[in-house]
Amino acid sequence: MQEYFAEVSLPIRELVEFVLASGSIDNRYGGGDLYQRANEGSRLHRKLQRQSKTEYGDRYHSEVALSDDRVENGILYHIFGRADAILTDSEGTIIEEIKTTELPLSSLSGDPSSDGYRPLHWAQAKCYAFILSQKEKLSSVRVRLIYCQVETEETISFTQNFSALELQTFYIGLLQAYRRWAVMRFEWTQIRDKSAKELSFPFESYRAGQRQMAAVIYRAAAAGSRVLCQAPTGIGKTISSLFPSVKAMGEGLVSHLFYLTAKTSTRAVAEEGFSLMQQKGLRLKRVTLTAKDKICFLPERLCNPDDCPYAKDYFDRIQDVLFEMLEKEDSFTRQTIEHWAKEKTLCPFELGLDLSSWCDAIICDYNYLFDPVVYLKRFFDHRDRYAFLIDEAHNLLDRARGMYSAMLQKSDVLTCKKLAEPLFKPLSKSLNTLNREMLSLKKQILAQEDNSEHALSFPSIPKPFWKAAQNTLSCCSQFLEERRQNRKYTLFQVEENIPQEILQFYFDLRFFLRIAELADTEELQHNFCFFVSTKGSQVTVKLLCLDPAPMIDSRMKLGQTTALFSATLSPPSYYKTVLGCDHPQEKTNSYSFPSPFSQENLCLLVCGQINTRWAAREESLVPIARLIHQMVSAKKGNYLAYFPSYQYLEKEAEVFSKLYPDIRLICQSPQMDDQERVDFLQQFDHPDSSPALLGFAVLGGIYSEGVDLKGEKLLGTAIIGTGLPKVGTEQEILRDYYQQKNNQGYDFAYRYPGMNKVLQAAGRVIRGQNDRGVVLLLDDRFSTPAYLRLFPEHWHHARIVYDSDGLSKILHDFWSESSID
């Protein structure tokens, strides 16, 4: 082999899409088909491959891995991919590439001069054909593109014959076009790895537990395994995960870092962590991805070249801008991306995504890995040496359940039916059929005796409903494509030509049916439930994901290592199960690190005389008010009390205000807008205000997690109740599922999720080394063994009190000790 100075490994599809993409961003219906992803419609791929195997027998081979290693202009390229099929007949060899499409087949063409020609699809297949021609010493190879319409499952194919010389010229041209990027990536990797190896911990010393956490995350990266870390507030979870992962990158153990979060605030903390290391000499390119709706420059998001100047000719201009940005910048925050996007007139959202392909670290929301629709396909359509750092991992379960659940409503069906009536009769007719199926489901619900919640669950989707939904999607696709072909899009014509209600319903229905296909597989059918509820004339149909663990697991398998960490991951056996980490053959180690703060700084009290169960709530209002008042009166300052519901909160607020009008009381409400939410929290910025400030908030809401009130901004919290989710049909379905799965239905559906809310709310009090504060747990269940065993290690000093005198004495002594200190 020739000498080379740089080495590049690249999937064929990534090479083709990067070098050859051109034109504008256009996400109007049908526009995305130009960049159809190879994994879409995998079921149809398999179906067509089985049919061809039956027809051609041993002459047909599906999913054939192809790779090419060659030196070109001093670069050693490892180019690889997987051809959908290779077929031999009397005329020679054929490379088959299968593409699924939502467009009518009549809109596609094999003629390069036609609008229906898909150049990226042909380019990908031609690369496979070239590699095969080299391997088999073929003088020519035929390329066949097969398009399958996803709703009708009809197919159309186009075949072209290419000589080996034509294929070689095309392929080498791609490599030559990619060369400057290959050189840049190679040279940057040398700089990055050297700086990572030389990097020292960015602080003078480690906090308690911090070195141990960093060590277990590094070992997991080296071993290619997963690790679950419960790390209390103050340990420095972010830098304890980032630093060892960067060191592992410097050693070649991982290729990219993904810091995945549930909140914008934790993304900012990750940015600070990287900045600290960069100030210590680390050279690393990082990007923070922001949701499209938040970063879009337009008042209304319209992703097409007619309405958005930032979309026009995007793919023609992006490469030069990317190259310039990467030469001048290392850190791509939201502000940096917006600055460049405005200066170069490029879509900021797509610019962030394109930057991610050239960055070493990506800070982003959970959905960029786990969501079945918006995940980063450029990374996660194949496995690589990725490190996934999942912050606040206790949030991932509910987020994943939401990502893999889908919903349709009868009112939307009727709205679209009325709109479609004068526009496209077949669509109106199909919507009418779908409406009838929903009415049929409603009749089944009403026929049930003692069904107070007017809901019913099914083990699978009734076939008539599924058929009606599929037919509606097909008609909707036909309508949208007809409209797309017969008009020009402008800002003022969108609503007239394609009603937004129909377009939104199309996306909702398409997603519903995609989840339905997933739920219909043999290995996952028990993880989902078809749920129907009715209220008045409304009928709501849901596909509920009860257990997303297999989907979470499959996503984490795309990387080299995963670290899941949070202050509340107890009990670890529960989180291992629900987060897909309980494989006996693929062990996930779990660790619980000690709090770096002194236990003496937290006065943790269980008020064992309070009963907050539903039947006793009216009787509990006055006793709870008195206990909260004792907490607030023991030391002047700011306090929070958390309630299991707004209804309970409002009743308690009425009682408390009458009994203690001298206490300034502010209450969270479900109608708060963004500014009101900010104003609520800002009132805690003044710890010396008079009179004392008491906030009432909802347990599990925005003020019980991610709120950082350091020092004397918050002196204590009272947590009313055990945080149990509200009992209802859906929650009981979840309980039944886990009861059948592991005989722990109540724990998995109620106790463990509830206790997590309690731990998060309690964690608002001690936020710094010198903070002191009080946590009151107001519910007699906290004093039972079932709950005491869920207390983390730094709660083992909790005391149980049964009367107000005992509470007053303990609080007085605690704050007296504080004043002495």
Side-chain angles (χ1 to χ4, degrees):
M1 183 173 287
Q2 302 174 39
E3 292 187 4
Y4 58 91
F5 69 90
E7 193 171 345
V8 172
S9 181
L10 202 62
I12 288 171
R13 197 191 68 222
E14 185 177 323
L15 171 66
V16 165
E17 291 187 353
F18 183 76
V19 172
L20 298 180
S22 62
S24 303
I25 298 169
D26 193 345
N27 287 354
R28 297 174 295 200
Y29 176 76
D33 191 72
L34 281 172
Y35 306 101
Q36 185 80 3
R37 303 307 195 208
N39 70 322
E40 290 183 0
S42 56
R43 180 185 64 82
L44 293 174
H45 273 66
R46 293 192 295 270
K47 178 182 177 181
L48 294 176
Q49 287 167 338
R50 285 196 300 269
Q51 290 175 348
S52 294
K53 183 66 175 177
T54 300
E55 181 178 355
Y56 296 108
D58 293 339
R59 292 182 292 131
Y60 183 88
H61 303 278
S62 61
E63 300 299 326
V64 180
L66 294 170
S67 62
D68 177 57
D69 295 342
R70 69 178 50 244
V71 175
E72 190 68 33
N73 290 329
I75 310 291
L76 172 58
Y77 291 95
H78 303 282
I79 306 298
F80 59 92
R82 188 177 294 274
D84 287 333
I86 297 176
L87 168 66
T88 56
D89 63 12
S90 58
E91 298 181 27
T93 303
I94 302 172
I95 285 281
E96 280 192 352
E97 190 66 16
I98 301 169
K99 299 294 182 184
T100 54
T101 180
E102 289 158 359
L103 297 175
L105 297 181
S106 58
S107 67
L108 300 171
S109 171
D111 181 359
S113 63
S114 167
D115 290 340
Y117 187 77
R118 299 294 181 255
L120 297 186
H121 295 166
W122 286 100
Q124 185 178 344
K126 285 165 70 175
C127 288
Y128 295 137
F130 167 72
I131 295 174
L132 185 66
S133 72
Q134 295 290 294
K135 180 181 177 182
E136 302 292 338
K137 309 296 184 190
L138 302 173
S139 60
S140 65
V141 179
R142 278 174 292 162
V143 170
R144 177 179 295 160
L145 280 186
I146 302 175
Y147 289 97
C148 181
Q149 218 286 336
V150 292
E151 281 89 23
T152 65
E153 298 191 9
E154 295 177 333
T155 63
I156 190 172
S157 65
F158 306 101
T159 304
Q160 291 188 42
N161 189 63
F162 298 97
S163 70
L165 181 59
E166 286 179 294
L167 295 171
Q168 182 178 16
T169 301
F170 173 78
Y171 182 80
I172 299 302
L174 290 178
L175 299 186
Q176 290 173 343
Y178 193 81
R179 186 180 188 279
R180 68 165 176 161
W181 298 92
V183 172
M184 182 186 70
R185 171 164 281 171
F186 173 78
E187 291 177 346
W188 172 254
T189 301
Q190 309 308 304
I191 296 170
R192 181 201 69 191
D193 290 353
K194 183 177 183 294
S195 72
K197 289 178 181 178
E198 295 173 353
L199 181 68
S200 59
F201 191 65
F203 295 100
E204 290 184 5
S205 61
Y206 288 90
R207 295 178 185 175
Q210 201 168 40
R211 183 189 292 272
Q212 295 95 313
M213 180 175 171
V216 300
I217 289 178
Y218 182 86
R219 288 198 296 267
S225 62
R226 301 175 192 171
V227 64
L228 204 70
C229 297
Q230 179 169 267
T233 299
I235 200 173
K237 296 185 290 293
T238 303
I239 201 67
S240 299
S241 63
L242 290 177
F243 177 69
S245 300
V246 166
K247 298 297 286 186
M249 176 179 283
E251 298 295 335
L253 299 173
V254 298
S255 61
H256 296 78
L257 308 183
F258 290 86
Y259 194 93
L260 299 140
T261 75
K263 297 183 177 70
T264 303
S265 58
T266 47
R267 267 166 261 171
V269 175
E271 289 179 337
E272 291 171 11
F274 279 117
S275 293
L276 279 171
M277 291 186 288
Q278 287 172 316
Q279 291 168 20
K280 294 291 184 178
L282 175 65
R283 297 296 309 278
L284 175 140
K285 295 196 183 294
R286 60 178 168 92
V287 61
T288 302
L289 299 181
T290 305
K292 184 182 291 188
D293 288 332
K294 291 183 178 180
I295 203 171
C296 179
F297 292 147
L298 299 185
E300 182 182 1
R301 179 161 59 83
L302 295 166
C303 304
N304 67 78
D306 294 331
D307 297 318
C308 178
Y310 303 99
K312 187 174 178 60
D313 301 326
Y314 176 90
F315 296 107
D316 295 325
R317 297 182 291 120
I318 182 58
Q319 286 200 18
D320 289 339
V321 176
L322 270 181
F323 204 87
E324 182 182 356
M325 291 179 73
L326 292 165
E327 284 189 318
K328 294 181 177 180
E329 310 267 10
D330 282 359
S331 302
F332 301 101
T333 62
R334 174 177 176 174
Q335 293 74 22
T336 304
I337 292 170
E338 287 178 335
H339 168 76
W340 279 88
K342 285 181 179 178
E343 183 177 296
K344 303 295 185 178
T345 321
L346 291 170
C347 170
F349 177 71
E350 292 293 336
L351 179 58
L353 293 181
D354 285 328
L355 280 167
S356 71
S357 297
W358 299 96
C359 285
D360 310 300
I362 297 96
I363 304 170
C364 59
D365 189 87
Y366 292 159
N367 59 14
Y368 286 100
L369 173 61
F370 296 103
D371 192 284
V373 174
V374 302
Y375 72 96
L376 287 170
K377 296 175 177 67
R378 66 188 67 209
F379 288 103
F380 303 135
D381 273 355
H382 62 276
R383 179 174 180 169
D384 206 341
R385 293 172 294 113
Y386 304 133
F388 301 134
L389 307 179
I390 302 177
D391 191 14
E392 302 293 352
H394 64 275
N395 287 312
L396 180 56
L397 173 61
D398 285 342
R399 284 288 302 276
R401 279 195 180 122
M403 291 173 191
Y404 287 91
S405 295
M407 181 179 74
L408 297 173
Q409 291 192 309
K410 182 176 178 292
S411 58
D412 294 333
V413 174
L414 289 176
T415 297
C416 292
K417 176 182 177 296
K418 291 175 183 177
L419 290 169
E421 179 69 29
L423 301 175
F424 194 64
K425 294 289 185 182
L427 176 57
S428 177
K429 184 177 179 181
S430 68
L431 285 162
N432 189 53
T433 303
L434 185 60
N435 182 62
R436 285 203 307 269
E437 290 303 324
M438 286 185 160
L439 287 173
S440 175
L441 294 170
K442 179 180 180 179
K443 290 178 182 178
Q444 294 182 55
I445 293 173
L446 298 178
Q448 300 290 312
E449 296 181 5
D450 300 324
N451 192 345
S452 58
E453 292 205 15
H454 301 293
L456 195 61
S457 63
F458 299 78
S460 61
I461 303 177
K463 295 301 181 184
F465 178 86
W466 194 334
K467 183 178 179 180
Q470 288 177 315
N471 185 52
T472 300
L473 184 65
S474 179
C475 290
C476 199
S477 297
Q478 294 174 33
F479 166 69
L480 292 171
E481 176 57 20
E482 181 181 282
R483 290 274 153 168
R484 186 187 73 85
Q485 292 181 343
N486 293 340
R487 83 194 195 296
K488 280 191 172 290
Y489 288 83
T490 71
L491 183 60
F492 304 104
Q493 289 180 324
V494 169
E495 191 169 333
E496 177 186 347
N497 287 279
I498 296 183
Q500 289 299 301
E501 295 87 347
I502 292 180
L503 191 61
Q504 185 58 52
F505 183 75
Y506 164 75
F507 290 127
D508 292 342
L509 183 58
R510 184 174 65 171
F511 179 69
F512 186 94
L513 289 172
R514 283 179 177 175
I515 297 298
E517 286 192 7
L518 186 68
D520 194 47
T521 59
E522 184 177 349
E523 61 271 21
L524 293 176
Q525 58 184 333
H526 300 298
N527 294 58
F528 290 83
C529 170
F530 184 70
F531 179 78
V532 186
S533 61
T534 181
K535 185 177 181 180
S537 61
Q538 182 68 283
V539 178
T540 302
V541 173
K542 295 182 181 179
L543 260 176
L544 295 176
C545 178
L546 305 176
D547 183 4
M551 286 74 84
I552 296 174
D553 172 51
S554 67
R555 295 297 184 180
M556 291 191 292
K557 283 180 178 175
L558 294 170
Q560 163 80 359
T561 181
T562 300
L564 304 103
F565 48 94
S566 170
T568 53
L569 289 177
S570 180
S573 59
Y574 164 69
Y575 282 100
K576 283 184 180 181
T577 299
V578 298
L579 298 180
C581 296
D582 58 348
H583 300 290
Q585 70 276 16
E586 195 173 315
K587 185 179 180 182
T588 298
N589 291 318
S590 60
Y591 298 87
S592 181
F593 301 101
S595 172
F597 305 140
S598 171
Q599 283 188 345
E600 297 174 356
N601 288 355
L602 176 64
C603 180
L604 179 63
L605 303 173
V606 177
C607 298
Q609 73 272 36
I610 297 296
N611 181 358
T612 69
R613 296 168 183 83
W614 181 261
R617 286 191 174 176
E618 288 293 334
E619 299 174 7
S620 73
L621 296 175
V622 171
I624 286 174
R626 289 173 177 164
L627 290 168
I628 293 175
H629 183 256
Q630 282 184 283
M631 176 182 70
V632 175
S633 302
K635 181 177 172 66
K636 190 186 80 169
N638 300 337
Y639 295 85
L640 277 167
Y642 295 100
F643 295 85
S645 68
Y646 282 108
Q647 184 182 25
Y648 203 172
L649 180 155
E650 291 163 0
K651 288 183 177 180
E652 188 62 65
E654 183 179 350
V655 171
F656 190 92
S657 297
K658 289 180 180 178
L659 291 175
Y660 309 107
D662 57 316
I663 304 296
R664 186 159 62 98
L665 180 65
I666 59 173
C667 296
Q668 178 186 358
S669 72
Q671 293 82 28
M672 280 180 164
D673 59 28
D674 290 342
Q675 187 57 50
E676 288 172 328
R677 292 172 180 172
V678 171
D679 293 342
F680 180 95
L681 208 56
Q682 284 181 341
Q683 296 190 60
F684 289 83
D685 289 342
H686 309 287
D688 297 325
S689 61
S690 185
L693 174 66
L694 173 63
F696 278 8
V698 174
L699 195 59
I702 59 172
Y703 299 121
S704 67
E705 185 175 340
V707 174
D708 197 19
L709 299 171
K710 291 183 178 179
E712 295 197 347
K713 290 183 178 180
L714 184 66
L715 295 184
T717 64
I719 299 172
I720 294 89
T722 55
L724 300 179
K726 183 180 179 181
V727 176
T729 305
E730 292 186 34
Q731 205 65 27
E732 285 297 287
I733 291 170
L734 193 62
R735 174 178 176 167
D736 291 342
Y737 170 81
Y738 282 111
Q739 189 64 26
Q740 293 180 19
K741 181 175 180 176
N742 57 20
N743 204 34
Q744 298 184 72
Y746 182 79
D747 283 344
F748 274 53
Y750 291 100
R751 182 177 285 123
Y752 295 158
M755 191 61 189
N756 183 275
K757 295 178 189 176
V758 171
L759 291 168
Q760 283 292 324
R764 300 313 97 207
V765 178
I766 304 296
R767 308 297 297 176
Q769 194 72 34
N770 299 316
D771 289 5
R772 288 176 65 86
V774 175
V775 172
L776 299 185
L777 303 178
L778 305 183
D779 194 292
D780 55 15
R781 285 168 286 188
F782 286 121
S783 62
T784 64
Y787 278 89
L788 289 173
R789 66 183 174 84
L790 298 180
F791 282 20
E793 185 178 343
H794 60 282
W795 274 25
H796 286 178
H797 68 302
R799 286 183 283 181
I800 301 175
V801 293
Y802 291 99
D803 57 72
S804 58
D805 291 339
L807 175 62
S808 292
K809 184 178 186 309
I810 292 173
L811 292 175
H812 176 269
D813 292 345
F814 175 75
W815 290 120
S816 296
E817 292 171 7
S818 175
S819 62
I820 292 172
D821 294 341

